[in-house]
Amino acid sequence: MDDKLADEPARLAALRRYDLLDTLPEPAFDRITNIVQSALQVPISAVSLVDTDRQWFKAQQGLDTHQTARDVSFCAHAIGARDVMMVPDALQDDRFAGNPLVTGPPHIRSYLGAPLSTPDGYNIGTLCAIDTVPRAFDERHQDVLENLAALVVEEFELRMIAQRDHLTRVLTRRGFLAEADRVLQAGGGALLLLDIDHFKAINDTFGHPAGDLVLRAVAEQCRAVLSGRGLVGRIGGEEFGVVLNQGDCAMRVAEELRAAIAALVIPHEPPLSVTASFGVAMATADLSSGEAWLAKADIALYAAKRTGRNRCVLNHSV
């Protein structure tokens, strides 16, 4: 068996590098699932990412859910091979005959899934076509799905290149603002803007390589503390932003991040430690863009720095 198909920890690491799980819909992937529906004449199509214990849909047509358990997922079987997986009749297949997705909604009877294989060879999910009647998909259908699956992975790669800061591996300013725009459109949420206190002194005293160590450590600490609750971006220099889908816990999360950064001991000779100041702004109806939201958080950040640093300030304006 292909070693990379059997290496589940490495496969999950490859999936997480793209930072796609639990992100909002994006037109590029919706267009591809629409093409699958039209070209293969199926009622259901999806870009499915197979996580530890679930499959999550980055895009889907004909489904009323964004995820299912992994143990009932057809796609979890499809990622175990390099070729397209076809199930002409689920009720005649021992693997799926008793599956609740077959015996109940959405009543899957036939399935075609092309693995989403990363450039380094890990299958992180599938592009799939599903029908509610038995059917054998022909060679042309399989070729179409494989080609579109390759386009999905290319979109993943382009998205990562355009949106990832090369030093810290968090979102670029552009990528962060795109996420902020999507959260605003969805309603609710909060934006945190943080600035590393006295960062210039680190560069002046220890040099820019030490400054880079600090930036990477702060970015990684933010990601670890958030643990999927929000996305981190490098806004510029020593400034980072965090966008949360839920706003009601914003100040608590900001305090968690502030304390975690203050507790960091960054390997260096001598070891380095830093603090950060935070400005917090809630999503409000008057905000027209991520840029406007960022500016609102920046007002609160300035207040945090002016009143002593290493603290979190909420912008109370509506």
Side-chain angles (χ1 to χ4, degrees):
M1 183 180 182
D2 185 326
D3 287 345
K4 290 188 175 180
L5 293 178
D7 192 343
E8 179 67 1
R11 191 195 70 79
L12 289 170
L15 170 61
R16 280 162 175 63
R17 278 198 296 272
Y18 289 105
D19 266 341
L20 285 157
L21 293 170
D22 300 310
T23 57
L24 292 171
E26 296 178 54
F29 303 111
D30 290 336
R31 282 194 289 270
I32 290 173
T33 51
N34 276 326
I35 292 170
V36 171
Q37 247 189 336
S38 175
L40 275 66
Q41 292 293 292
V42 290
I44 301 169
S45 62
V47 173
S48 171
L49 301 175
V50 180
D51 198 2
T52 309
D53 56 6
R54 61 171 176 160
Q55 69 169 344
W56 180 80
F57 303 122
K58 176 59 183 172
Q60 85 273 8
Q61 308 294 330
L63 292 170
D64 59 3
T65 184
H66 292 287
Q67 65 182 35
T68 74
R70 179 170 174 168
D71 61 4
V72 298
S73 166
F74 282 59
C75 299
H77 290 265
I79 63 170
R82 292 293 176 198
D83 298 327
V84 173
M85 183 180 97
M86 180 167 61
V87 180
D89 187 345
L91 288 177
Q92 302 303 315
D93 190 310
D94 290 341
R95 295 171 297 174
F96 306 112
N99 190 304
L101 301 179
V102 175
T103 58
H107 299 287
I108 297 172
R109 287 296 298 275
S110 51
Y111 169 94
L112 189 68
L116 300 176
S117 188
T118 65
D120 51 353
Y122 295 101
N123 289 349
I124 59 172
T126 71
L127 177 65
C128 60
I130 295 169
D131 211 332
T132 55
V133 297
R135 62 183 288 189
F137 295 93
D138 63 28
E139 212 171 284
R140 181 181 64 85
H141 292 142
Q142 295 179 48
D143 288 343
V144 167
L145 202 68
E146 279 189 306
N147 286 326
L148 289 173
L151 285 181
V152 170
V153 176
E154 285 179 16
E155 284 291 337
F156 289 169
E157 289 288 313
L158 289 171
R159 182 185 188 277
M160 185 167 66
I161 291 167
Q163 296 186 341
R164 291 283 145 194
D165 175 61
H166 75 281
L167 176 64
T168 62
R169 303 307 298 160
V170 298
L171 294 171
T172 61
R173 182 187 181 98
R174 172 185 171 184
F176 181 80
L177 289 173
E179 290 296 333
D181 284 337
R182 280 191 280 273
V183 172
L184 272 181
Q185 291 167 14
L191 192 149
L192 285 52
L193 184 61
L194 70 99
D195 183 90
I196 300 173
D197 297 327
H198 308 297
F199 182 73
K200 184 176 183 298
I202 293 171
N203 280 334
D204 291 347
T205 305
F206 301 108
H208 288 280
D212 289 349
L213 278 176
V214 169
L215 292 171
R216 285 194 291 266
V218 167
E220 185 55 39
Q221 189 78 322
C222 288
R223 288 168 61 119
V225 170
L226 287 169
S227 187
R229 292 178 294 175
L231 292 173
V232 188
R234 187 179 177 196
I235 307 306
E238 67 272 24
E239 275 192 349
F240 293 86
V242 174
V243 64
L244 304 173
N245 289 325
Q246 302 296 325
D248 54 358
C249 58
M251 285 300 288
R252 187 181 78 244
V253 172
E255 284 292 344
E256 286 179 35
L257 290 167
R258 185 201 61 76
I261 290 169
L264 268 175
V265 178
I266 301 164
H268 185 262
E269 190 53 51
L272 302 172
S273 59
V274 294
T275 61
S277 303
F278 285 75
V280 180
M282 311 300 290
T284 52
D286 63 307
L287 291 171
S288 59
S289 67
E291 284 280 9
W293 201 3
L294 196 64
K296 189 174 177 180
D298 194 42
I299 294 170
L301 172 61
Y302 178 75
K305 292 161 72 174
R306 180 169 46 82
T307 55
R309 301 179 187 269
N310 189 25
R311 64 189 61 206
C312 306
V313 173
L314 174 66
N315 187 324
H316 291 282
S317 65
V318 177

